């Protein structure tokens, strides 16, 4: 099946700094990518939907100025956590739909962010 | 997207069939039933999907009731590597819109040696 990668897999940063997470579709073009956040022992929560060449659509309660999403190409979306705080520590996962009518959404391996 | 209800946890003996139920009584006519699983600290993995007919692939079988209000995922010969959280989700196929996946709490399946 199609492959989605994320980089980095783990990152530790200091409070107040910004962190960028990359999500790439390796062997297909992804018009739409999704960003999820998962806290320990909880389910995945959708943060935003990212469409190539346009502004992301954020879920209710997600601060768009704090979680900056850029989807500049059909194979790359980035999530930047700005001015990170310890409560932003979480597992961030991206996913991608390949083409219209596609039945499967492909998930990345996730990025573990720890803010100290 | 319609809401789904799953038992929070299940155990299954290694080598036996694991049957995971899911209720989706408010499913719409154009919504598919999807199953994903998440092994600890990894991204979700697609298992199978179906609309109204039973489906089978190399990983599992999906049985959907005739009224489509519930379904069962069957892992025919469970192994220790099948220990994971299993999510049942209903959605329409992607069509350049926001056909997002909404994850519920899932079923934590533990395979017992």
């Amino acid at each position: 099946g199609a492959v989605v990668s994320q980089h980095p897999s783990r990152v530790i940063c200091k409070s107040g700094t910004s962190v960028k997470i990359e999500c790439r579709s390796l062997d297909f073009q992804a018009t739409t990518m999704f960003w999820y956040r998962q806290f320990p022992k909880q389910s995945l929560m959708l943060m935003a939907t990212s469409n190539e060449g346009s502004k992301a659509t954020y879920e209710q309660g997600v601060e768009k100025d704090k979680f900056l999403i850029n989807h500049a190409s059909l194979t790359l979306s980035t999530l930047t956590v700005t001015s990170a705080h310890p409560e932003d520590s979480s597992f961030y996962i991206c996913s991608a739909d390949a083409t219209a009518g596609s039945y499967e959404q492909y998930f990345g391996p996730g990025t573990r962010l720890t803010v100290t | 997207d319609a809401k789904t209800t799953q038992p929070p946890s299940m155990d299954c003996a290694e080598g036996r069939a694991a049957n995971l139920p899911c209720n989706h009584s408010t499913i719409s006519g154009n919504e598919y039933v999807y199953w994903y699983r998440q092994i600890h600290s990894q991204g979700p993995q697609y298992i199978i999907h179906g609309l109204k007919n039973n489906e089978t692939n190399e990983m599992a079988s999906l049985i959907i009731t005739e009224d489509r209000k519930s379904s069962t995922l069957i892992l025919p010969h469970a192994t220790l590597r099948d220990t994971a959280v299993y999510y049942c989700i209903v959605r329409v196929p992607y069509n350049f819109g926001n056909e997002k996946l909404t994850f519920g709490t899932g079923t934590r399946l533990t395979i017992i040696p």
Side-chain angles (χ1 to χ4, degrees):
Chain A
V3 177
V4 174
S5 70
Q6 285 184 240
H7 178 80
S9 57
R10 289 176 178 272
V11 58
I12 300 173
C13 72
K14 293 186 177 180
S15 186
T17 62
S18 295
V19 175
K20 179 185 286 188
I21 302 170
E22 293 186 349
C23 176
R24 293 182 184 272
S25 55
L26 298 186
D27 50 1
F28 66 99
Q29 294 185 329
T31 305
T32 301
M33 289 185 171
F34 302 86
W35 286 95
Y36 295 83
R37 179 169 52 182
Q38 185 176 33
F39 293 108
K41 298 188 184 301
Q42 295 188 22
S43 186
L44 284 77
M45 295 297 295
L46 180 67
M47 299 175 66
T49 301
S50 167
N51 291 299
E52 186 266 337
S54 63
K55 291 183 178 180
T57 301
Y58 290 82
E59 295 298 300
Q60 192 173 9
V62 178
E63 299 175 58
K64 62 181 181 180
D65 294 330
K66 180 171 181 61
F67 298 99
L68 301 179
I69 292 172
N70 185 288
H71 192 161
S73 78
L74 288 172
T75 60
L76 173 64
S77 177
T78 60
L79 167 68
T80 301
V81 182
T82 62
S83 187
H85 292 287
E87 56 265 32
D88 298 323
S89 298
S90 188
F91 193 49
Y92 291 87
I93 306 169
C94 72
S95 68
D97 273 319
T99 58
S102 170
Y103 292 100
E104 183 177 341
Q105 194 170 107
Y106 304 99
F107 284 82
T111 296
R112 176 77 58 193
L113 170 63
T114 303
V115 184
T116 61
Chain B
D1 290 340
K3 183 178 170 138
T4 63
T5 305
Q6 300 176 250
S9 64
M10 292 180 64
D11 291 340
C12 178
E14 187 178 16
R16 303 296 294 270
N19 296 278
L20 292 89
C22 179
N23 287 320
H24 32 79
S25 58
T26 59
I27 191 171
S28 300
N30 62 344
E31 286 182 314
Y32 284 68
V33 180
Y34 284 75
W35 284 83
Y36 283 79
R37 73 180 182 185
Q38 186 179 26
I39 295 170
H40 183 62
S41 293
Q42 296 182 25
Q45 175 190 22
Y46 166 83
I47 301 173
I48 199 168
H49 75 276
L51 182 61
K52 53 184 177 182
N53 297 322
N54 297 338
E55 302 287 346
T56 296
N57 62 20
E58 65 277 4
M59 289 183 67
S61 294
L62 173 61
I63 308 299
I64 303 174
T65 57
E66 192 168 342
D67 63 7
R68 302 211 322 125
K69 293 185 177 182
S70 65
S71 61
T72 301
L73 177 74
I74 302 173
L75 307 179
H77 304 288
T79 71
L80 298 178
R81 288 177 294 182
D82 292 323
T83 292
V85 178
Y86 287 76
Y87 295 100
C88 168
I89 301 167
V90 293
R91 62 164 276 192
V92 296
Y94 173 64
N95 191 27
F96 292 111
N98 291 337
E99 287 82 12
K100 57 192 178 186
L101 294 175
T102 301
F103 285 81
T105 53
T107 296
R108 183 172 298 276
L109 175 68
T110 303
I111 306 302
I112 310 297

